[in-house]
Amino acid sequence: MNITLENKDALNAVVKVDIAKEDYSDKVEKVLNNYRKTANIPGFRKGKVPKGLVKKQYGQSVLVDEVNKLLQESLNNYLTEEKLDILGNPLPKPQDNFNWEDDDYSFEFELGLAPEFEVSLDNKEPITHYVISADDEMIDNQIKMIQKQYGKIIAQNEVKEGFNIEGTFHNPEAEIEQDASFNIDEVEGKTNKKKLIGAKTGEQVTLKSTKLFKDTATLASKLGIDEDKAEGLKVDLTLTINEVNEQVPAELNQELFDKYFGEGEVNSEEELKERIKADSEKTFAQQGDQQLLNDVTEYLVENTTFDLPAEFLQKWLKVQGEKELTDEEAKEEYEKSEKGLKYQLIEGKIINQNDLQVQAEDLKAMTKERIKMQMAQFGQTDLPEEQLDDIANRVLSNQDEAKKIAEQAMSQKLLDFYKEKLNLKEEKLSYKAFIDKVYK
């Protein structure tokens, strides 16, 4: 067997694999002998089938199978031994004159080679790292949400501001007959709201579908229809009021604190606000870090210049899925994935050059931290270390879950590395300001 490599340019190469008869003949012979021992062919006892007959029936398929096995094994070993950094997978070149009746075979594969490049972490213009705070308005709204969550529902006979309505919407012509639940404050139109205020349980109220709720999606949900049908819907709706309920918020007292955070965790309104602020800002820190990672990714892709074997990758994308793509589809798919592929190469170089590794203890620590956060949501904040270890081991025994956590742990290592090496500037702002600035 002989394997040779021809570089077409810096990003493309062709590897040629020459397989001679002596490379595969023993393997084929061995398989055919095994077939002869086990084959059930009418007219012959098991194990007594003539070798020529076995070869005639199975020889071609065994030959093809064994040569292909040898080819794949040899090619993979060659790529590994030569330390060729390829993109995608080798693509076999078509051979019009190929003949399995020959004794010796030649196969050629196109390779897309990873480019050579350098990554600079010397950014003169600082990248913003957002530090997000929980302002008083957000904390107050969170407290109201907690009070509402643990409050009481009291049945009423008449609709008033802030009350919940359980009713049925009717319109036979529009084929609407739907039970719905909503708060009077969700009603947008002044005329509709005016008709509802003061209405009593058991009464029917005629409402306009226009401006009934804040958007088409909400209207569609409440009326039980598709959004397409709800878009521009202008009909009269009869609402039969089945129930009217007032939601009375829970009092801010020790009973509420214990229910929400666990017994003795919070002991005053001041501590409540401090806890909400700390918990919120811990979540916001994750969002700020994710945005930093997004911005660093954008910076590195834009400021690290190299080419990819675009033509090869489009060919590879065309055939690597379950369904073969057209040339246009493959080109479109490549254009969508080009930036992501470039960052994968940049990230890989940063990881290798700086020896960033995820150790078993990193996975265990991250898994245990996540378990603690999940259990805290159910008021369990003091899980014994032995129990934490046991749960973490069970989670990591799932290969898919372990892989996912490993990827997240590497993202955290990269994030810590970027924070240390890149020129960053902190910008402190409220959560609302962050959303307005980043997402609008």
Side-chain angles (χ1 to χ4, degrees):
M1 182 183 301
N2 187 41
I3 303 180
T4 55
L5 180 73
E6 180 187 358
N7 287 309
K8 297 295 184 183
D9 54 43
L11 298 174
N12 295 276
V14 173
V15 63
K16 184 180 180 184
V17 183
D18 293 319
I19 297 178
K21 185 175 182 178
E22 56 265 26
D23 296 322
Y24 63 82
S25 56
D26 288 348
K27 294 182 175 64
V28 172
E29 195 71 19
K30 183 178 179 180
V31 174
L32 288 175
N33 285 335
N34 287 334
Y35 272 33
R36 188 184 178 200
K37 293 175 185 177
T38 59
N40 287 312
I41 296 178
F44 298 95
R45 285 183 298 159
K46 191 173 183 180
K48 298 298 182 180
V49 181
K51 189 174 180 180
L53 183 57
V54 171
K55 188 172 183 179
K56 183 177 181 181
Q57 283 201 332
Y58 303 108
Q60 181 77 29
S61 62
V62 170
L63 169 68
V64 172
D65 191 37
E66 291 303 314
V67 169
N68 278 324
K69 283 182 192 175
L70 180 61
L71 175 63
Q72 290 303 320
E73 182 183 348
S74 304
L75 180 60
N76 290 337
N77 289 340
Y78 177 80
L79 296 176
T80 302
E81 290 166 4
E82 296 297 318
K83 297 180 180 178
L84 290 175
D85 194 1
I86 66 171
L87 302 179
N89 293 316
L91 288 177
K93 292 186 71 174
Q95 294 176 275
D96 295 334
N97 59 347
F98 186 86
N99 188 353
W100 283 108
E101 299 294 332
D102 295 338
D103 290 333
D104 301 333
Y105 309 107
S106 289
F107 302 90
E108 291 186 339
F109 294 86
E110 294 180 69
L111 303 180
L113 305 178
E116 294 289 335
F117 61 92
E118 295 298 325
V119 180
S120 171
L121 298 174
D122 184 23
N123 58 311
K124 294 179 181 178
E125 188 70 28
I127 298 171
T128 302
H129 182 206
Y130 296 104
V131 179
I132 309 163
S133 62
D135 56 24
D136 291 341
E137 182 182 359
M138 171 171 281
I139 293 169
D140 288 342
N141 286 337
Q142 180 72 7
I143 291 173
K144 288 176 183 174
M145 186 276 293
I146 295 170
Q147 288 180 279
K148 184 177 179 181
Q149 182 180 343
Y150 288 90
K152 297 177 181 178
I153 295 176
I154 301 174
Q156 301 289 350
N157 292 320
E158 182 179 323
V159 178
K160 292 183 180 179
E161 292 283 356
F163 283 12
N164 292 318
I165 300 169
E166 301 272 351
T168 305
F169 285 107
H170 313 266
N171 184 298
E173 292 78 13
E175 298 181 334
I176 294 171
E177 182 78 17
Q178 180 69 23
D179 293 334
S181 174
F182 60 94
N183 190 285
I184 184 65
D185 296 337
E186 294 181 71
V187 176
E188 289 288 299
K190 291 181 180 179
T191 303
N192 284 331
K193 199 165 189 177
K194 188 176 180 181
K195 287 182 178 180
L196 286 168
I197 296 292
K200 294 180 171 52
T201 303
E203 289 185 352
Q204 290 189 331
V205 180
T206 301
L207 306 170
K208 298 287 185 183
S209 61
T210 309
K211 293 185 179 180
L212 180 54
F213 295 108
K214 63 179 179 179
D215 54 39
T216 302
T218 305
L219 180 65
S221 173
K222 301 297 184 186
L223 299 184
I225 58 177
D226 293 335
E227 284 193 40
D228 290 343
K229 185 175 179 179
E231 184 72 44
L233 183 68
K234 294 182 180 180
V235 296
D236 287 338
L237 297 165
T238 301
L239 174 67
T240 301
I241 299 174
N242 301 323
E243 290 182 27
V244 176
N245 296 303
E246 178 186 8
Q247 191 161 32
V248 180
E251 291 184 27
L252 284 178
N253 54 27
Q254 193 62 46
E255 182 184 0
L256 177 62
F257 303 154
D258 290 346
K259 280 181 180 178
Y260 193 75
F261 290 104
E263 190 171 348
E265 289 290 316
V266 169
N267 298 294
S268 68
E269 189 173 339
E270 183 180 351
E271 286 185 22
L272 172 66
K273 290 183 177 182
E274 289 173 359
R275 177 65 179 269
I276 291 173
K277 181 177 175 66
D279 288 350
S280 298
E281 290 180 353
K282 189 174 181 180
T283 301
F284 296 159
Q286 295 173 354
Q287 290 182 264
D289 282 350
Q290 183 58 55
Q291 186 57 41
L292 174 62
L293 198 55
N294 293 345
D295 292 340
V296 169
T297 299
E298 197 72 27
Y299 164 78
L300 289 172
V301 170
E302 289 180 1
N303 291 276
T304 307
T305 305
F306 58 85
D307 292 323
L308 294 172
E311 185 178 343
F312 169 83
L313 288 171
Q314 287 177 47
K315 280 188 194 176
W316 175 69
L317 285 168
K318 184 177 178 181
V319 298
Q320 63 95 28
E322 291 183 10
K323 177 186 174 185
E324 185 168 329
L325 304 179
T326 64
D327 291 340
E328 293 75 16
E329 289 171 335
K331 182 179 180 182
E332 184 181 345
E333 190 66 27
Y334 171 74
E335 289 171 351
K336 285 193 294 185
S337 59
E338 183 181 15
K339 185 179 285 189
L341 179 54
K342 282 190 171 184
Y343 179 67
Q344 283 180 24
L345 292 170
I346 295 168
E347 184 185 80
K349 175 152 282 199
I350 291 172
I351 290 169
N352 291 331
Q353 287 184 342
N354 297 280
D355 196 27
L356 301 179
Q357 297 180 19
V358 174
Q359 307 291 350
E361 53 266 30
D362 298 323
L363 294 182
K364 190 81 169 282
M366 176 171 277
T367 305
K368 287 166 72 172
E369 190 59 34
R370 299 206 167 175
I371 294 166
K372 285 180 185 177
M373 291 171 63
Q374 289 172 356
M375 300 309 288
Q377 295 175 4
F378 301 99
Q380 291 182 265
T381 56
D382 54 351
L383 238 64
E385 195 65 24
E386 185 179 336
Q387 191 174 350
L388 263 176
D389 279 334
D390 183 53
I391 298 172
N393 288 335
R394 276 188 277 127
V395 170
L396 292 172
S397 67
N398 182 313
Q399 288 188 350
D400 291 338
E401 196 65 28
K403 182 181 177 183
K404 190 192 308 179
I405 295 170
E407 289 171 353
Q408 292 164 347
M410 179 53 76
S411 288
Q412 186 60 51
K413 281 192 176 288
L414 281 164
L415 183 63
D416 293 340
F417 176 79
Y418 294 149
K419 285 180 179 180
E420 179 186 348
K421 299 295 183 181
L422 287 167
N423 178 17
L424 306 179
K425 66 174 182 180
E426 280 194 357
E427 182 176 337
K428 296 182 179 181
L429 70 178
S430 69
Y431 183 69
K432 184 178 183 304
F434 169 73
I435 295 299
D436 289 343
K437 187 164 190 174
V438 172
Y439 296 108
K440 289 188 178 180

